[in-house]
Amino acid sequence: MAGHGPLRTLDERLGRAVSGSEFPSSVAEFLADLGNTAVAVPALLVVMVWAGWRGWRHSRQEGRADGKGPARWWLPPLAAGLALAAVPALVVPLKLWLARPGPPQMAGGAHAGFYPSGHGATAAVAYGVAALLVLGSREGGRPIFAGGRRAAGVLVGAVALLNAGVGLGLVRRGYHWPLDVLGSWCLAGVLLAAWCAVCGVPVDGVRAGGVSVGDSGSGPATARRAAVDSGGAVAKGDMTG
């Protein structure tokens, strides 16, 4: 992106084709605005508060059940906020370093760097981690989407479609080149993977649609405890049978 080459030439050719397409500009503007911090940040804050409240309530119930203290219910929402806050901290230096010129419509703007797209990264991280928080929320000691892989798949697909729409809107309105958006998605993928690592969410658990976050009665520790409890019940049944 920093130098001229065949990839950059193809990218700019594709960007001009999309920008000059018949896709409605009003719809494209609406989609592009979904990556604005004025939209994405409040949306994530609502999910953070909701997930934090549910995690706190579940941790109290679990604490009374096993006699232990409250779990780290606050970790997933806090990590989600930090992941979104990391977007400008990473995007701005990359833009200044690469200094890729933007599309013709953005000539003479306030800044010269356009790779990666800040709007694209903001949307991908905000809506992506919001979906992970929803997937990890629990009801009655079970993940909301446990056993509901179809519903979880619909949620993940909706988030992917939303982000594709944001990218299309940014390119159609001439705010970014296609690879600016693709680069922002790659950056968002790193941040979402970091969130999963911090909160103890395995990648296969996300694909299965029954993710569980933090220490709120899920994950390897809880699985081991459940296995021990189950084994103890079986042994007790053998002794009394």
Side-chain angles (χ1 to χ4, degrees), residues 121-196:
T122 298
V125 172
Y127 303 130
V129 79
L132 289 172
L133 286 173
V134 172
L135 289 173
S137 296
R138 304 178 68 82
E139 179 69 43
R142 291 170 56 91
I144 289 179
F145 284 92
R149 295 187 180 183
R150 179 176 300 179
V154 169
L155 176 61
V156 173
V159 171
L161 187 61
L162 185 150
N163 279 282
V166 172
L168 175 61
L170 292 171
V171 177
R172 170 63 179 86
R173 292 295 294 159
Y175 299 145
H176 280 285
W177 301 111
L179 283 182
D180 298 345
V181 177
L182 181 60
S184 70
W185 291 345
C186 293
L187 178 62
V190 173
L191 292 175
L192 293 177
W195 182 90
C196 290

Side-chain angles (χ1 to χ4, degrees), residues 65-147:
D66 59 16
K68 297 183 178 180
R72 293 184 300 171
W73 56 267
W74 45 266
L75 180 59
L78 176 62
L82 293 176
L84 187 59
V87 170
L90 295 173
V91 168
V92 173
L94 284 172
K95 284 186 173 182
L96 295 176
W97 176 42
L98 295 173
R100 184 192 186 184
Q105 294 91 322
M106 301 301 293
H111 54 84
F114 285 81
Y115 182 92
S117 166
H119 280 62
T122 298
V125 172
Y127 303 130
V129 79
L132 289 172
L133 286 173
V134 172
L135 289 173
S137 296
R138 304 178 68 82
E139 179 69 43
R142 291 170 56 91
I144 289 179
F145 284 92

Side-chain angles (χ1 to χ4, degrees), residues 10-29 32 102-107 165-181:
L10 291 174
D11 178 48
E12 294 179 358
R13 185 179 302 170
L14 176 61
R16 292 188 183 94
V18 174
S19 180
S21 68
E22 297 298 326
F23 190 83
S25 60
S26 58
V27 177
E29 185 69 26
Q105 294 91 322
M106 301 301 293
V166 172
L168 175 61
L170 292 171
V171 177
R172 170 63 179 86
R173 292 295 294 159
Y175 299 145
H176 280 285
W177 301 111
L179 283 182
D180 298 345
V181 177

